[in-house]
Amino acid sequence: MAVKLVNPNGLPKPDVYRQLSIATGSKMVFLAGQVARDAEGRRVGEGDFAAQVEQCYLNIGTALAEIGGSFDDVAKLTVYVVDWSPEKMPLLGEGVARAAAKLGIDPVKPITLLGVAALGEPDLLVEVEATAVLD
């Protein structure tokens, strides 16, 4: 695997993400922000934050599988959440956990979570962008 996840000494050690990743592969992959759309472009989980998070993660897994990678190759995630509030954290975790179960992966990665006013379409509640490194 080209990505090693680390929580270094001297920094907090959160359960839900890692502080850094060490990428040693030879191919960097920058995925566009993934949203709650299926392969045909249909809406998934309209009004359901956890379902939309799940679909975003599944889309990342699908994109990486197409090029011979997997979610395990993700070095960094950026999550954009419309109208973020701490009350959404359990739903974020629920969506991530459901996707992780379907993908058979450990979803814990370095992550940046950003609250935003809106995304590209009014029904979107979340968008997840990924950087991956493959051997």
Side-chain angles (χ1 to χ4, degrees), residues 7-89:
N7 269 333
N9 290 330
L11 292 177
K13 294 176 178 37
D15 292 331
V16 296
Y17 68 92
R18 296 296 173 260
Q19 294 288 3
L20 61 92
S21 62
I22 302 166
T24 57
S26 59
K27 186 188 312 183
M28 289 189 71
V29 180
F30 300 91
L31 280 79
Q34 296 300 303
V35 297
R37 299 287 187 264
D38 66 12
E40 289 75 39
R42 292 183 299 244
R43 294 176 176 167
V44 175
E46 192 162 358
D48 183 340
F49 181 66
Q52 289 197 16
V53 169
E54 177 183 4
Q55 187 64 44
C56 293
Y57 273 64
L58 293 175
N59 288 350
I60 290 168
T62 298
L64 290 171
E66 180 70 18
I67 60 169
S70 75
F71 203 93
D72 288 331
D73 297 310
V74 171
K76 170 80 168 58
L77 295 168
T78 303
V79 180
Y80 303 90
V81 179
V82 174
D83 298 324
W84 171 255
S85 68
E87 292 77 29
K88 291 184 178 178
M89 186 61 82

Side-chain angles (χ1 to χ4, degrees), residues 35 49 78-85 88 112-122 124-129:
V35 297
F49 181 66
T78 303
V79 180
Y80 303 90
V81 179
V82 174
D83 298 324
W84 171 255
S85 68
K88 291 184 178 178
T112 299
L113 176 67
L114 298 168
V116 297
L119 293 168
E121 297 178 43
L124 297 174
L125 304 174
V126 63
E127 183 169 334
V128 182
E129 177 182 279

